[in-house]
Amino acid sequence: MNRVWIGLGSNLDDPAGQVRAGLTALAGLPDSRPGPVSDLFRSAPVGVTDQPDFCNAVAGLDTDLEPLALLEALQAIEQAAGRRRTRRWGPRTLDLDMLVYGDRRIDLPTLTVPHPRLAERAFVLVPLVSVAPNLDIPGQGAAATLAAGLDDQGVRPWAAAS
């Protein structure tokens, strides 16, 4: 099995509930089993800032699904949660991003892994480092080192921010 790291985010329709439902859906994927899951974190929107804060988490998933099959499954979970892709970086009910897929580097028209902006985003790195501090991100380095080089960008625990 391959250890895959998935970023989860939501800022609509009970964001924490959406992220928790996404975690439940990930646990039900075929040929897969859940791994470590971070706590929930609050972060300000990136790119398009006239929208609510996001609830974010990171989850490990051990899977035999190939990357494109997993991407299709993640997109089906998003759609089942009501995700509509109307505005880049806009509000969403549920966003699932494949951050890391084992030690693979993937560059396809529909999928780039590691996620191309992973190293720039505290809302991904803070939860990731909380559950996988020693993770080596292919071609980018240690997750903890990447996180240490970033401002925290206002990422804070979800409960403390509610």
Side-chain angles (χ1 to χ4, degrees):
M1 291 198 135
N2 298 287
R3 171 60 56 91
V4 180
W5 292 98
I6 308 292
L8 300 93
S10 173
N11 71 341
L12 295 176
D13 301 336
D14 180 20
Q18 292 285 354
V19 169
R20 288 184 188 105
L23 291 167
T24 299
L26 287 175
L29 289 177
D31 302 316
S32 305
R33 66 175 182 256
V37 176
S38 74
D39 289 338
L40 303 181
F41 290 85
R42 182 179 298 266
S43 65
V46 174
V48 177
T49 58
D50 62 336
Q51 59 182 318
D53 284 354
F54 277 83
C55 178
N56 298 103
V58 168
L61 182 72
D62 295 320
T63 187
D64 283 330
L65 294 174
E66 288 299 315
L68 289 178
L70 179 57
L71 176 64
E72 186 176 298
L74 297 178
Q75 290 173 340
I77 293 169
E78 290 177 339
Q79 289 174 354
R83 170 83 188 265
R84 302 292 172 260
R85 296 174 187 273
T86 58
R87 185 167 145 196
R88 185 173 189 198
W89 296 327
R92 60 210 55 195
T93 52
L94 185 62
D95 186 30
L96 301 174
D97 287 330
M98 193 180 317
L99 305 173
V100 177
Y101 189 102
D103 61 0
R104 294 194 200 182
R105 293 172 81 178
I106 302 166
D107 190 10
L108 299 170
T110 57
L111 179 63
T112 303
V113 175
H115 190 283
R117 289 171 297 283
L118 185 155
E120 305 164 6
R121 295 189 166 164
F123 69 82
V124 172
L125 285 171
V126 169
L128 180 60
V129 168
S130 76
V131 290
N134 299 318
L135 178 66
D136 183 52
I137 299 169
Q140 297 184 22
T145 301
L146 294 171
L150 280 182
D151 176 284
D152 70 11
Q153 299 170 4
V155 174
R156 56 204 188 278
W158 182 258
S162 299

